[in-house]
Amino acid sequence: MTRQLILIEGLPGSGKSTIAKMVSEILTEQGKKVQLIQEGNLDHPADYDGVAFYSAEEFRSLVDAQETCKHILESRATAYQEGFLIPYRKMKEEFGVDFPDHVVQEIFSKDIYELPFEQNVKLITEKWRSFTESVISADDDSIF
């Protein structure tokens, strides 16, 4: 089995999504199993769009300060290394008004893309590494 990963990069508005869709359709027409993953997909396997990172201490402080959202925060945050990943955009989408905008804004301040460069690179590199390892070890010949 040969695994294939096709990445399409470019400037905003340059046609990346259009080209990716066209490539996916062509490969599908050829009988290939294709998994098209668009940017902005909150379930993207290699991106952290709408995800914040809190150290364990910062997370505990957040939960203590946001008592009304305690259950939501604790049930949706994922322990990761020495802290927690909080998928705040997915949480807002799921819980709506029960997950207030002021809490979302507070969490956004720790968005992965707002972190110091070194920490950002480390988290994103590890996410991409994990994704590529899952593609390589998959038991099919999908094209991603």
Side-chain angles (χ1 to χ4, degrees):
M1 262 180 255
T2 303
R3 308 293 186 295
Q4 294 183 10
L5 174 62
I6 300 171
L7 300 175
I8 299 174
E9 287 290 335
L11 296 171
S14 64
K16 298 178 300 294
S17 296
T18 302
I19 290 173
K21 188 174 181 189
M22 288 172 57
V23 169
S24 174
E25 290 169 356
I26 290 167
L27 292 169
T28 300
E29 288 171 3
Q30 294 176 357
K32 310 283 187 199
K33 183 177 176 189
V34 179
Q35 293 193 30
L36 174 62
I37 305 164
Q38 297 278 4
E39 186 176 60
N41 177 340
L42 295 181
D43 292 316
H44 195 292
D47 191 16
Y48 278 123
D49 192 21
V51 178
F53 179 78
Y54 275 67
S55 69
E57 183 178 319
E58 291 167 333
F59 181 69
R60 187 53 34 213
S61 293
L62 174 68
V63 170
D64 290 346
Q66 303 299 337
E67 185 66 33
T68 59
C69 299
K70 179 179 181 173
H71 174 71
I72 294 172
L73 290 165
E74 291 179 337
S75 68
R76 296 300 188 270
T78 304
Y80 184 79
Q81 295 180 354
E82 303 295 317
F84 291 87
L85 294 170
I86 305 173
Y88 64 90
R89 281 192 47 211
K90 283 178 78 171
M91 293 161 63
K92 181 63 178 175
E93 193 174 90
E94 180 179 351
F95 295 102
V97 295
D98 292 332
F99 194 58
D101 290 340
H102 73 275
V103 176
V104 173
Q105 287 303 311
E106 181 177 345
I107 295 170
F108 171 76
S109 70
K110 300 286 288 176
D111 185 280
I112 286 178
Y113 295 104
E114 301 298 320
L115 294 175
F117 183 72
E118 293 79 19
Q119 190 176 13
N120 174 290
V121 168
K122 182 178 182 214
L123 287 165
I124 292 172
T125 302
E126 289 170 2
K127 180 87 168 186
W128 273 98
R129 183 173 291 120
S130 173
F131 170 62
T132 55
E133 287 172 1
S134 73
V135 169
I136 290 169
S137 66
D139 195 25
D140 65 18
D141 54 0
S142 292
I143 300 172
F144 289 84

